[in-house]
Amino acid sequence: MSKQFFNEYISEIKNKYLSLDVGLFLKIKDLFLSVRDNNAKIIIVGNGGSAAIASHVSIDLTKTVKIRSVTFNESSLITCLANDYGYEEWVSEALGNYANDKDLVILISSSGKSLNMINAAKKTKELNLNLLTLTGFNKDNPLSLLGDINLWVDSNSYNTVENVHQIALLSILDLIIET
């Protein structure tokens, strides 16, 4: 029974990853390279498991791909801004303080319904920055409707969506390294 479970689990993640459009990956790769060419940075943010993905990808962007990247995962930053502006606005406030011209913002939300991510997307638009969203669940979720480029995973399982998000982003970084 457990072997069957794991085979089906991995098969689900593999199938969801392989169903993503390779052309979309190439657009994201080009966007990442334009950030590097413009000496800008990538700001990548998520909640919970998506915040962990943001941290991992941010480190790899900076270390291996040589694209400056930051996350807003410092507890003092989050609690300060959430206390002063409300949890739904803390990411927007952080963007207002840290984003610069030609930066790319990546927002990760499995459901695409997290209010702090939606408000951050609106702030990204106000700042006239490019926005990449990574979501799952319903295709026309509020966050993906605000993105310039949207990577959507067709699943209602948080773990499937999050695993595919991480594999997709890291595979794009590996593509940059290989080319």
Side-chain angles (χ1 to χ4, degrees):
M1 171 97 163
S2 63
K3 183 175 181 174
Q4 179 182 347
F5 170 82
F6 289 113
N7 286 339
E8 290 173 2
Y9 187 86
I10 293 299
S11 180
E12 174 77 4
I13 292 169
K14 176 183 170 186
N15 290 336
K16 296 302 179 185
Y17 174 78
L18 291 174
S19 72
L20 298 173
D21 178 15
V22 173
L24 181 63
F25 282 36
L26 297 175
K27 285 172 83 172
I28 295 169
K29 178 196 90 161
D30 290 343
L31 186 57
F32 285 6
L33 291 175
S34 72
V35 168
R36 182 173 69 188
D37 293 344
N38 286 316
N39 198 31
K41 68 182 170 298
I42 295 176
I43 300 170
I44 181 169
V45 188
N47 294 314
S50 296
I53 293 166
S55 287
H56 182 169
V57 172
S58 180
I59 290 166
D60 284 2
L61 276 163
T62 301
K63 180 182 171 203
T64 62
V65 186
K66 307 300 183 207
I67 300 173
R68 290 183 307 127
S69 179
V70 297
T71 63
F72 299 143
N73 287 349
E74 302 86 8
S75 60
S76 57
L77 174 71
I78 295 167
T79 56
C80 171
L81 295 178
N83 183 62
D84 291 352
Y85 302 102
Y87 189 79
E88 292 82 11
E89 296 297 336
W90 81 264
V91 180
S92 299
E93 290 298 321
L95 286 171
N97 290 318
Y98 290 95
N100 296 312
D101 187 42
K102 299 186 181 170
D103 285 347
L104 166 64
V105 176
I106 301 174
L107 300 175
I108 308 171
S109 170
S110 293
S111 70
K113 294 181 180 180
S114 301
L115 287 178
N116 62 341
M117 295 295 125
I118 293 167
N119 291 336
K122 291 175 183 176
K123 181 67 169 190
T124 300
K125 294 294 157 197
E126 287 175 25
L127 296 170
N128 200 30
L129 300 173
N130 284 322
L131 174 61
L132 168 61
T133 63
L134 285 84
T135 64
F137 294 31
N138 296 321
K139 187 167 187 164
D140 293 328
N141 62 70
L143 183 59
S144 69
L145 294 175
L146 295 167
D148 299 310
I149 299 176
N150 308 291
L151 193 154
W152 173 73
V153 177
D154 186 9
S155 176
N156 290 318
S157 164
Y158 279 98
N159 285 338
T160 299
V161 172
E162 289 173 349
N163 277 306
V164 174
H165 283 164
Q166 180 157 315
I167 293 167
L169 287 170
L170 293 175
S171 66
I172 293 166
L173 300 187
D174 286 340
L175 176 63
I176 293 170
I177 292 166
E178 291 294 317
T179 54

